Coordinates of all heavy atoms in Angstrom, one line a residue:
M1123 N 95.7 -100.6 -135.8 CA 95.2 -102.0 -135.9 C 95.3 -102.7 -134.6 O 96.4 -102.6 -134.0 CB 95.9 -102.8 -137.1 CG 95.3 -104.2 -137.2 SD 96.1 -105.1 -138.5 CE 95.6 -104.3 -140.0
E1124 N 94.3 -103.3 -134.1 CA 94.3 -104.0 -132.8 C 95.3 -105.2 -132.9 O 95.4 -105.8 -134.0 CB 92.9 -104.5 -132.4 CG 92.0 -103.4 -132.2 CD 92.2 -102.7 -130.9 OE1 92.7 -103.4 -129.9 OE2 91.8 -101.5 -130.7
W1125 N 95.9 -105.6 -131.8 CA 96.8 -106.8 -131.8 C 96.0 -108.1 -132.1 O 96.5 -109.0 -132.7 CB 97.6 -106.8 -130.6 CG 96.8 -107.2 -129.3 CD1 96.2 -106.4 -128.5 CD2 96.6 -108.5 -128.9 NE1 95.6 -107.1 -127.5 CE2 95.8 -108.4 -127.7 CE3 96.9 -109.8 -129.3 CZ2 95.4 -109.5 -127.0 CZ3 96.5 -110.9 -128.5 CH2 95.7 -110.7 -127.4
T1126 N 94.7 -108.1 -131.7 CA 93.9 -109.3 -131.9 C 93.6 -109.5 -133.4 O 93.6 -110.6 -133.9 CB 92.6 -109.2 -131.1 OG1 92.0 -108.0 -131.4 CG2 92.9 -109.4 -129.6
S1127 N 93.5 -108.3 -134.1 CA 93.3 -108.4 -135.6 C 94.5 -108.9 -136.2 O 94.5 -109.7 -137.2 CB 92.9 -107.0 -136.1 OG 91.7 -106.6 -135.5
I1128 N 95.7 -108.5 -135.8 CA 97.0 -109.0 -136.3 C 97.1 -110.5 -136.1 O 97.5 -111.2 -137.0 CB 98.1 -108.2 -135.8 CG1 98.0 -106.7 -136.2 CG2 99.5 -108.8 -136.2 CD1 99.0 -105.8 -135.5
V1129 N 96.8 -110.9 -134.9 CA 96.9 -112.4 -134.6 C 95.9 -113.2 -135.6 O 96.3 -114.2 -136.1 CB 96.6 -112.7 -133.2 CG1 96.4 -114.2 -132.9 CG2 97.7 -112.1 -132.3
A1130 N 94.7 -112.6 -135.7 CA 93.7 -113.3 -136.6 C 94.2 -113.4 -138.1 O 94.1 -114.4 -138.7 CB 92.4 -112.6 -136.5
I1131 N 94.8 -112.2 -138.5 CA 95.3 -112.2 -139.9 C 96.5 -113.1 -140.1 O 96.6 -113.8 -141.1 CB 95.6 -110.7 -140.3 CG1 94.3 -109.9 -140.4 CG2 96.4 -110.7 -141.6 CD1 94.6 -108.4 -140.4
Y1132 N 97.4 -113.1 -139.1 CA 98.5 -114.0 -139.1 C 98.1 -115.5 -139.2 O 98.6 -116.3 -139.9 CB 99.4 -113.8 -137.9 CG 100.5 -114.8 -137.8 CD1 101.6 -114.7 -138.6 CD2 100.4 -116.0 -137.0 CE1 102.7 -115.7 -138.6 CE2 101.4 -116.9 -136.9 CZ 102.5 -116.7 -137.7 OH 103.5 -117.7 -137.7
T1133 N 97.0 -115.8 -138.4 CA 96.5 -117.2 -138.4 C 96.0 -117.6 -139.7 O 96.2 -118.7 -140.2 CB 95.4 -117.3 -137.3 OG1 96.0 -117.0 -136.0 CG2 94.9 -118.8 -137.2
L1134 N 95.2 -116.7 -140.4 CA 94.7 -117.0 -141.7 C 95.9 -117.1 -142.7 O 95.8 -118.1 -143.5 CB 93.8 -115.8 -142.2 CG 92.5 -115.7 -141.4 CD1 91.7 -114.5 -141.9 CD2 91.6 -116.9 -141.7
F1135 N 96.9 -116.3 -142.6 CA 98.0 -116.4 -143.5 C 98.7 -117.8 -143.3 O 99.1 -118.4 -144.2 CB 99.0 -115.3 -143.3 CG 98.7 -114.1 -144.2 CD1 98.5 -112.8 -143.6 CD2 98.7 -114.1 -145.5 CE1 98.2 -111.7 -144.3 CE2 98.4 -113.0 -146.3 CZ 98.2 -111.8 -145.7
W1136 N 98.8 -118.1 -142.0 CA 99.6 -119.4 -141.7 C 98.8 -120.6 -142.2 O 99.5 -121.5 -142.8 CB 99.7 -119.5 -140.1 CG 100.6 -120.6 -139.8 CD1 102.0 -120.5 -139.5 CD2 100.4 -122.0 -139.6 NE1 102.5 -121.7 -139.3 CE2 101.6 -122.6 -139.3 CE3 99.2 -122.8 -139.8 CZ2 101.7 -124.0 -139.1 CZ3 99.3 -124.1 -139.6 CH2 100.5 -124.7 -139.2
V1137 N 97.5 -120.6 -142.1 CA 96.8 -121.8 -142.6 C 96.9 -121.9 -144.1 O 97.1 -123.0 -144.7 CB 95.3 -121.7 -142.1 CG1 94.4 -122.7 -142.8 CG2 95.2 -121.9 -140.6
V1138 N 96.7 -120.8 -144.8 CA 96.9 -120.8 -146.2 C 98.3 -121.2 -146.7 O 98.4 -122.0 -147.6 CB 96.5 -119.4 -146.8 CG1 96.8 -119.3 -148.3 CG2 95.0 -119.1 -146.6
C1139 N 99.3 -120.7 -146.0 CA 100.7 -121.0 -146.4 C 100.9 -122.5 -146.1 O 101.6 -123.2 -146.9 CB 101.6 -120.2 -145.6 SG 101.7 -118.4 -146.1
A1140 N 100.4 -123.0 -145.0 CA 100.6 -124.4 -144.7 C 100.0 -125.3 -145.8 O 100.6 -126.3 -146.2 CB 100.0 -124.8 -143.3
F1141 N 98.8 -125.0 -146.2 CA 98.2 -125.8 -147.2 C 98.9 -125.7 -148.6 O 99.0 -126.6 -149.3 CB 96.7 -125.4 -147.4 CG 95.8 -126.1 -146.4 CD1 95.2 -125.4 -145.4 CD2 95.6 -127.5 -146.5 CE1 94.4 -126.1 -144.5 CE2 94.8 -128.1 -145.6 CZ 94.2 -127.4 -144.6
I1142 N 99.4 -124.5 -148.9 CA 100.2 -124.3 -150.1 C 101.5 -125.1 -150.1 O 101.9 -125.7 -151.0 CB 100.4 -122.8 -150.4 CG1 99.1 -122.2 -150.8 CG2 101.4 -122.6 -151.5 CD1 99.1 -120.7 -150.9
L1143 N 102.1 -125.1 -148.9 CA 103.5 -125.7 -148.7 C 103.4 -127.2 -148.5 O 104.5 -127.9 -148.5 CB 104.2 -125.0 -147.6 CG 104.6 -123.6 -147.9 CD1 105.2 -123.0 -146.6 CD2 105.6 -123.5 -149.0
L1144 N 102.3 -127.8 -148.2 CA 102.2 -129.2 -147.9 C 102.8 -130.1 -149.0 O 103.6 -131.0 -148.7 CB 100.7 -129.7 -147.7 CG 100.2 -129.5 -146.3 CD1 98.7 -129.9 -146.3 CD2 101.0 -130.4 -145.4
P1145 N 102.6 -129.9 -150.3 CA 103.2 -130.8 -151.3 C 104.6 -130.5 -151.7 O 105.2 -131.2 -152.4 CB 102.2 -130.6 -152.5 CG 101.7 -129.3 -152.4 CD 101.6 -129.0 -150.9
V1146 N 105.2 -129.4 -151.1 CA 106.5 -129.0 -151.5 C 107.5 -130.0 -150.9 O 107.6 -130.2 -149.7 CB 106.9 -127.6 -151.0 CG1 108.3 -127.2 -151.3 CG2 105.9 -126.6 -151.7
G1147 N 108.4 -130.6 -151.8 CA 109.4 -131.5 -151.4 C 109.0 -132.9 -151.1 O 109.8 -133.7 -150.7
I1148 N 107.7 -133.3 -151.3 CA 107.2 -134.6 -151.1 C 107.7 -135.5 -152.2 O 107.6 -135.2 -153.4 CB 105.7 -134.6 -150.9 CG1 105.3 -133.8 -149.8 CG2 105.1 -136.0 -150.8 CD1 105.7 -134.3 -148.4
R1149 N 108.1 -136.7 -151.9 CA 108.5 -137.7 -152.9 C 107.7 -139.0 -152.7 O 107.4 -139.4 -151.5 CB 110.0 -138.1 -152.7 CG 110.9 -137.0 -152.9 CD 111.1 -136.6 -154.3 NE 112.0 -135.5 -154.5 CZ 111.7 -134.3 -154.8 NH1 110.4 -134.0 -155.0 NH2 112.6 -133.3 -154.9
T1150 N 107.3 -139.6 -153.8 CA 106.5 -140.9 -153.7 C 107.4 -142.0 -153.6 O 108.6 -141.9 -153.8 CB 105.5 -141.0 -154.9 OG1 106.3 -141.0 -156.1 CG2 104.6 -139.8 -155.0
A1151 N 106.9 -143.2 -153.4 CA 107.7 -144.4 -153.4 C 108.3 -144.7 -154.7 O 109.5 -145.2 -154.8 CB 106.8 -145.6 -153.0
D1152 N 107.7 -144.4 -155.8 CA 108.3 -144.6 -157.1 C 109.5 -143.7 -157.3 O 110.5 -144.0 -157.9 CB 107.3 -144.3 -158.2 CG 106.2 -145.3 -158.3 OD1 106.4 -146.5 -157.8 OD2 105.1 -145.0 -158.7
E1153 N 109.4 -142.4 -156.8 CA 110.5 -141.5 -157.0 C 111.7 -141.8 -156.1 O 112.9 -141.5 -156.4 CB 110.0 -140.1 -156.6 CG 109.0 -139.5 -157.6 CD 108.4 -138.2 -157.2 OE1 108.4 -137.9 -156.0 OE2 107.9 -137.5 -158.1
T1154 N 111.5 -142.4 -154.9 CA 112.6 -142.7 -154.0 C 113.1 -144.1 -154.1 O 114.1 -144.5 -153.5 CB 112.1 -142.5 -152.5 OG1 111.0 -143.3 -152.2 CG2 111.8 -141.0 -152.2
G1155 N 112.3 -144.9 -154.8 CA 112.7 -146.3 -155.0 C 112.4 -147.2 -153.8 O 112.9 -148.3 -153.7
A1156 N 111.5 -146.7 -152.9 CA 111.1 -147.5 -151.8 C 110.1 -148.5 -152.2 O 109.4 -148.4 -153.2 CB 110.5 -146.5 -150.7
E1157 N 110.0 -149.6 -151.3 CA 109.0 -150.6 -151.6 C 107.6 -150.2 -151.1 O 107.5 -149.6 -150.0 CB 109.4 -151.9 -150.9 CG 108.6 -153.1 -151.3 CD 109.2 -154.4 -150.6 OE1 110.4 -154.5 -150.5 OE2 108.3 -155.2 -150.3
K1158 N 106.6 -150.5 -151.9 CA 105.2 -150.1 -151.6 C 104.6 -151.2 -150.7 O 104.9 -152.3 -150.8 CB 104.4 -149.9 -152.8 CG 104.7 -148.7 -153.7 CD 103.7 -148.6 -154.8 CE 104.2 -147.6 -155.8 NZ 103.3 -147.6 -157.0
V1159 N 103.8 -150.7 -149.8 CA 103.0 -151.6 -149.0 C 101.7 -152.0 -149.8 O 101.2 -151.2 -150.5 CB 102.5 -150.9 -147.7 CG1 101.6 -151.7 -146.8 CG2 103.8 -150.4 -146.9
P1160 N 101.3 -153.2 -149.7 CA 100.1 -153.6 -150.5 C 98.9 -152.7 -150.1 O 98.6 -152.5 -148.9 CB 99.8 -155.1 -150.0 CG 101.2 -155.6 -149.6 CD 101.9 -154.4 -149.0
G1161 N 98.2 -152.2 -151.1 CA 97.1 -151.3 -150.9 C 97.5 -149.8 -150.8 O 96.6 -149.0 -150.7
Q1162 N 98.8 -149.5 -150.9 CA 99.2 -148.1 -150.8 C 98.9 -147.4 -152.1 O 99.1 -147.9 -153.2 CB 100.7 -148.1 -150.5 CG 101.4 -146.8 -150.5 CD 102.8 -146.8 -150.2 OE1 103.4 -147.8 -149.8 NE2 103.5 -145.7 -150.4
A1163 N 98.5 -146.2 -152.0 CA 98.2 -145.4 -153.1 C 99.5 -145.0 -153.8 O 100.6 -144.8 -153.1 CB 97.5 -144.1 -152.7
D1164 N 99.5 -144.9 -155.1 CA 100.7 -144.5 -155.8 C 101.2 -143.1 -155.5 O 102.4 -142.9 -155.6 CB 100.5 -144.6 -157.4 CG 100.3 -146.0 -157.9 OD1 100.7 -146.9 -157.2 OD2 99.6 -146.2 -158.9
S1165 N 100.3 -142.3 -155.0 CA 100.7 -140.9 -154.7 C 101.1 -140.7 -153.2 O 101.3 -139.6 -152.8 CB 99.6 -140.0 -155.1 OG 98.4 -140.3 -154.4
A1166 N 101.1 -141.8 -152.4 CA 101.4 -141.6 -151.0 C 102.8 -141.2 -150.8 O 103.7 -141.8 -151.4 CB 101.1 -143.0 -150.3
P1167 N 103.0 -140.2 -149.9 CA 104.4 -139.7 -149.7 C 105.2 -140.7 -148.8 O 104.7 -141.4 -148.0 CB 104.2 -138.4 -148.9 CG 102.9 -138.6 -148.3 CD 102.1 -139.4 -149.2
T1168 N 106.5 -140.7 -149.1 CA 107.4 -141.6 -148.3 C 108.2 -140.8 -147.3 O 108.8 -141.3 -146.4 CB 108.3 -142.4 -149.2 OG1 109.1 -141.6 -150.0 CG2 107.5 -143.4 -150.0
N1169 N 108.3 -139.5 -147.5 CA 109.2 -138.7 -146.7 C 108.5 -137.4 -146.1 O 109.1 -136.4 -146.1 CB 110.4 -138.2 -147.5 CG 110.1 -137.3 -148.6 OD1 108.9 -137.3 -149.1 ND2 111.0 -136.5 -149.1
F1170 N 107.3 -137.5 -145.7 CA 106.6 -136.4 -145.2 C 107.2 -135.9 -143.9 O 107.4 -136.7 -143.0 CB 105.1 -136.7 -145.0 CG 104.3 -135.6 -144.4 CD1 104.1 -134.4 -145.1 CD2 103.7 -135.7 -143.2 CE1 103.4 -133.4 -144.6 CE2 103.0 -134.6 -142.6 CZ 102.8 -133.5 -143.4
Q1171 N 107.5 -134.6 -143.8 CA 108.1 -134.1 -142.6 C 107.3 -132.9 -142.1 O 107.6 -131.7 -142.6 CB 109.6 -133.7 -142.9 CG 110.4 -134.8 -143.3 CD 111.8 -134.4 -143.8 OE1 112.0 -133.3 -144.2 NE2 112.7 -135.3 -143.8
P1172 N 106.4 -133.1 -141.2 CA 105.5 -132.0 -140.8 C 106.2 -130.8 -140.1 O 105.8 -129.7 -140.2 CB 104.5 -132.6 -139.9 CG 105.1 -133.9 -139.5 CD 106.0 -134.3 -140.6
R1173 N 107.3 -131.1 -139.5 CA 108.1 -130.0 -138.8 C 108.6 -129.0 -139.8 O 108.5 -127.8 -139.6 CB 109.3 -130.6 -138.0 CG 110.0 -129.5 -137.2 CD 111.0 -130.1 -136.3 NE 110.3 -130.8 -135.2 CZ 110.7 -131.9 -134.6 NH1 111.8 -132.5 -135.0 NH2 110.0 -132.4 -133.6
K1174 N 109.0 -129.5 -141.0 CA 109.5 -128.6 -142.0 C 108.3 -127.7 -142.6 O 108.5 -126.5 -142.8 CB 110.2 -129.3 -143.2 CG 111.6 -129.7 -142.9 CD 112.2 -130.3 -144.2 CE 113.7 -130.5 -144.0 NZ 114.3 -131.0 -145.2
V1175 N 107.2 -128.3 -142.7 CA 106.0 -127.6 -143.2 C 105.6 -126.5 -142.2 O 105.4 -125.4 -142.6 CB 104.8 -128.6 -143.5 CG1 103.6 -127.8 -143.8 CG2 105.1 -129.5 -144.5
V1176 N 105.7 -126.8 -140.9 CA 105.3 -125.9 -139.9 C 106.3 -124.7 -139.9 O 105.9 -123.5 -139.8 CB 105.2 -126.5 -138.5 CG1 105.1 -125.5 -137.4 CG2 104.0 -127.5 -138.5
I1177 N 107.6 -125.0 -139.9 CA 108.6 -123.9 -139.9 C 108.5 -123.1 -141.1 O 108.5 -121.8 -141.0 CB 110.0 -124.6 -139.8 CG1 110.2 -125.2 -138.4 CG2 111.1 -123.5 -140.1 CD1 111.4 -126.0 -138.3
R1178 N 108.4 -123.7 -142.3 CA 108.2 -122.9 -143.5 C 107.0 -122.0 -143.5 O 107.0 -120.9 -143.9 CB 108.2 -123.8 -144.8 CG 109.6 -124.4 -145.0 CD 109.5 -125.4 -146.1 NE 110.8 -126.1 -146.4 CZ 110.9 -127.1 -147.1 NH1 109.9 -127.7 -147.7 NH2 112.1 -127.7 -147.3
A1179 N 105.9 -122.6 -143.1 CA 104.6 -121.8 -143.1 C 104.7 -120.7 -142.1 O 104.2 -119.6 -142.3 CB 103.4 -122.8 -142.7
T1180 N 105.4 -120.9 -140.9 CA 105.5 -119.9 -139.9 C 106.3 -118.7 -140.5 O 105.9 -117.5 -140.3 CB 106.2 -120.5 -138.7 OG1 105.4 -121.5 -138.2 CG2 106.3 -119.4 -137.6
V1181 N 107.4 -119.0 -141.1 CA 108.3 -117.9 -141.7 C 107.5 -117.2 -142.8 O 107.5 -115.9 -142.8 CB 109.6 -118.5 -142.2 CG1 110.4 -117.5 -142.9 CG2 110.4 -119.1 -141.0
L1182 N 106.9 -117.9 -143.7 CA 106.2 -117.3 -144.8 C 105.0 -116.5 -144.3 O 104.8 -115.3 -144.8 CB 105.8 -118.3 -145.9 CG 105.1 -117.8 -147.1 CD1 106.1 -116.8 -147.8 CD2 104.7 -118.9 -148.0
A1183 N 104.3 -117.0 -143.4 CA 103.1 -116.3 -142.8 C 103.6 -115.0 -142.1 O 102.9 -114.0 -142.2 CB 102.3 -117.2 -141.9
A1184 N 104.7 -115.1 -141.4 CA 105.2 -113.9 -140.7 C 105.6 -112.8 -141.7 O 105.3 -111.6 -141.5 CB 106.4 -114.3 -139.8
L1185 N 106.2 -113.2 -142.7 CA 106.6 -112.3 -143.8 C 105.4 -111.6 -144.4 O 105.3 -110.4 -144.6 CB 107.5 -112.9 -144.8 CG 107.9 -112.1 -146.0 CD1 108.9 -111.1 -145.6 CD2 108.5 -113.0 -147.1
L1186 N 104.4 -112.4 -144.8 CA 103.3 -111.9 -145.5 C 102.4 -111.0 -144.6 O 101.9 -110.0 -145.0 CB 102.4 -113.0 -146.1 CG 103.1 -113.8 -147.2 CD1 102.2 -115.0 -147.6 CD2 103.3 -112.9 -148.4
C1187 N 102.3 -111.5 -143.3 CA 101.5 -110.7 -142.3 C 102.2 -109.4 -142.1 O 101.5 -108.3 -141.9 CB 101.3 -111.5 -141.1 SG 100.2 -110.7 -139.9
G1188 N 103.5 -109.4 -142.0 CA 104.3 -108.2 -141.8 C 104.1 -107.2 -142.9 O 103.9 -106.0 -142.7
L1189 N 104.1 -107.7 -144.1 CA 103.8 -106.8 -145.3 C 102.4 -106.3 -145.3 O 102.2 -105.1 -145.6 CB 104.1 -107.6 -146.6 CG 105.5 -107.8 -147.0 CD1 105.6 -108.8 -148.2 CD2 106.2 -106.5 -147.3
Y1190 N 101.5 -107.1 -144.9 CA 100.1 -106.7 -144.8 C 99.9 -105.6 -143.8 O 99.2 -104.6 -144.1 CB 99.2 -107.9 -144.5 CG 97.7 -107.5 -144.4 CD1 96.9 -107.5 -145.6 CD2 97.1 -107.2 -143.2 CE1 95.6 -107.2 -145.5 CE2 95.8 -106.8 -143.2 CZ 95.0 -106.8 -144.3 OH 93.7 -106.5 -144.3
V1191 N 100.4 -105.8 -142.6 CA 100.3 -104.8 -141.5 C 101.0 -103.5 -141.9 O 100.5 -102.4 -141.7 CB 100.8 -105.3 -140.2 CG1 100.9 -104.3 -139.1 CG2 99.9 -106.5 -139.7
A1192 N 102.2 -103.6 -142.5 CA 102.9 -102.4 -143.0 C 102.1 -101.7 -144.0 O 102.1 -100.4 -144.0 CB 104.3 -102.8 -143.5
N1193 N 101.5 -102.4 -145.0 CA 100.7 -101.8 -146.0 C 99.5 -101.1 -145.3 O 99.1 -100.0 -145.7 CB 100.2 -102.8 -147.0 CG 99.4 -102.1 -148.1 OD1 99.8 -101.2 -148.8 ND2 98.2 -102.6 -148.2
Y1194 N 98.9 -101.7 -144.3 CA 97.8 -101.1 -143.6 C 98.2 -99.8 -143.0 O 97.5 -98.8 -143.0 CB 97.2 -102.1 -142.6 CG 96.1 -101.6 -141.8 CD1 94.8 -101.6 -142.3 CD2 96.2 -101.0 -140.6 CE1 93.7 -101.1 -141.6 CE2 95.2 -100.5 -139.8 CZ 93.9 -100.6 -140.4 OH 92.8 -100.1 -139.7
A1195 N 99.4 -99.8 -142.3 CA 99.8 -98.6 -141.6 C 100.3 -97.5 -142.6 O 100.0 -96.3 -142.3 CB 101.0 -99.0 -140.7
Q1196 N 101.0 -97.9 -143.6 CA 101.6 -96.9 -144.6 C 100.6 -96.5 -145.7 O 100.8 -95.5 -146.3 CB 102.9 -97.4 -145.1 CG 103.9 -97.7 -144.1 CD 104.4 -96.5 -143.3 OE1 104.5 -95.4 -143.9 NE2 104.6 -96.6 -142.0
G1197 N 99.7 -97.4 -146.1 CA 98.8 -97.1 -147.1 C 99.4 -97.1 -148.5 O 99.0 -96.3 -149.4
W1198 N 100.3 -98.1 -148.7 CA 101.0 -98.2 -150.0 C 100.0 -98.6 -151.1 O 100.0 -98.0 -152.2 CB 102.1 -99.3 -150.0 CG 103.2 -98.9 -149.0 CD1 103.7 -97.7 -148.8 CD2 103.9 -99.9 -148.2 NE1 104.7 -97.8 -147.8 CE2 104.8 -99.1 -147.5 CE3 103.8 -101.3 -148.0 CZ2 105.7 -99.7 -146.6 CZ3 104.7 -101.9 -147.1 CH2 105.6 -101.1 -146.4
V1199 N 99.2 -99.5 -150.9 CA 98.1 -100.0 -151.9 C 96.8 -99.9 -151.2 O 96.5 -100.5 -150.1 CB 98.4 -101.5 -152.3 CG1 97.3 -101.9 -153.3 CG2 99.8 -101.6 -152.9
T1200 N 95.9 -99.0 -151.8 CA 94.6 -98.8 -151.2 C 93.5 -99.4 -152.1 O 93.8 -99.9 -153.2 CB 94.3 -97.3 -151.0 OG1 94.4 -96.7 -152.3 CG2 95.4 -96.6 -150.1
V1201 N 92.3 -99.4 -151.7 CA 91.2 -99.9 -152.5 C 91.1 -99.1 -153.8 O 90.8 -99.7 -154.9 CB 89.9 -99.8 -151.7 CG1 88.7 -100.2 -152.5 CG2 90.0 -100.6 -150.4
E1202 N 91.3 -97.8 -153.8 CA 91.3 -97.0 -155.0 C 92.3 -97.5 -156.0 O 92.1 -97.4 -157.2 CB 91.4 -95.6 -154.7 CG 90.2 -94.9 -154.0 CD 90.3 -95.2 -152.5 OE1 91.4 -95.5 -151.9 OE2 89.2 -95.2 -151.8
D1203 N 93.4 -98.0 -155.5 CA 94.5 -98.4 -156.4 C 94.2 -99.7 -157.2 O 94.7 -99.9 -158.3 CB 95.8 -98.6 -155.7 CG 96.4 -97.3 -155.1 OD1 96.1 -96.3 -155.7 OD2 97.1 -97.4 -154.1
I1204 N 93.3 -100.5 -156.6 CA 93.0 -101.8 -157.2 C 91.6 -101.9 -157.8 O 91.1 -102.9 -158.2 CB 93.3 -103.0 -156.3 CG1 92.5 -102.8 -155.0 CG2 94.7 -103.1 -156.0 CD1 92.6 -104.0 -154.1
N1205 N 90.9 -100.7 -157.8 CA 89.5 -100.7 -158.3 C 89.6 -100.5 -159.8 O 89.7 -99.4 -160.3 CB 88.8 -99.5 -157.6 CG 87.3 -99.5 -158.0 OD1 86.8 -100.4 -158.6 ND2 86.6 -98.5 -157.6
F1206 N 89.5 -101.6 -160.5 CA 89.6 -101.6 -162.0 C 88.3 -101.1 -162.7 O 88.4 -100.8 -163.8 CB 90.1 -103.0 -162.5 CG 91.4 -103.4 -162.0 CD1 91.5 -104.5 -161.2 CD2 92.5 -102.7 -162.2 CE1 92.7 -104.9 -160.7 CE2 93.8 -103.1 -161.7 CZ 93.9 -104.2 -161.0
F1207 N 87.2 -101.2 -162.0 CA 85.9 -100.8 -162.6 C 85.3 -99.8 -161.7 O 84.3 -100.1 -161.0 CB 85.0 -102.1 -162.7 CG 85.7 -103.1 -163.5 CD1 86.2 -104.3 -162.9 CD2 85.8 -103.1 -164.9 CE1 86.7 -105.3 -163.6 CE2 86.4 -104.0 -165.6 CZ 86.9 -105.2 -165.0
P1208 N 85.8 -98.5 -161.7 CA 85.2 -97.5 -160.9 C 83.8 -97.1 -161.3 O 83.4 -97.3 -162.5 CB 86.1 -96.3 -161.0 CG 86.8 -96.5 -162.3 CD 86.9 -98.0 -162.5
L1209 N 82.9 -96.7 -160.4 CA 81.6 -96.2 -160.8 C 81.7 -95.0 -161.6 O 82.6 -94.1 -161.3 CB 80.8 -96.0 -159.5 CG 80.5 -97.2 -158.7 CD1 79.8 -96.8 -157.4 CD2 79.6 -98.2 -159.4
P1210 N 80.8 -94.8 -162.6 CA 80.9 -93.5 -163.4 C 80.5 -92.3 -162.5 O 79.7 -92.4 -161.6 CB 79.8 -93.8 -164.5 CG 79.0 -94.9 -164.0 CD 79.8 -95.7 -163.0
E1211 N 81.1 -91.2 -162.8 CA 80.9 -90.0 -162.1 C 79.5 -89.5 -162.4 O 79.0 -89.6 -163.5 CB 81.9 -89.0 -162.4 CG 83.3 -89.4 -162.2 CD 84.0 -88.7 -161.1 OE1 83.5 -87.7 -160.7 OE2 85.1 -89.2 -160.7
D1212 N 78.8 -88.8 -161.4 CA 77.5 -88.2 -161.6 C 77.7 -86.9 -162.4 O 78.4 -86.0 -161.9 CB 76.8 -88.0 -160.3 CG 75.4 -87.6 -160.4 OD1 74.8 -87.8 -161.5 OD2 74.8 -87.1 -159.4
P1213 N 77.1 -86.7 -163.5 CA 77.3 -85.5 -164.3 C 76.6 -84.3 -163.7 O 76.8 -83.2 -164.2 CB 76.7 -85.8 -165.7 CG 75.7 -86.9 -165.4 CD 76.2 -87.7 -164.2
A1214 N 75.8 -84.4 -162.7 CA 75.1 -83.3 -162.1 C 75.9 -82.4 -161.3 O 76.8 -82.0 -161.1 CB 73.9 -83.8 -161.2

């Protein structure tokens, strides 16, 4: 596998992981007891920490990308393994 392919796959994993991890650990004003600003949405976070999201997404994406590349190199799970609806064999 080319290194540029690995970088592209890692980037895709990172973006997906970042979006999945965005709501993790977020607390609203009602949950923290903070005073709301007039016009503030009830679901607005009071303790958003983007550095934590970046670090967590980086670690998780590295782990998932490493597993993906290792699977590509070793062939642990192939297309034939996950093909639940194989084409019927030709009787001829």
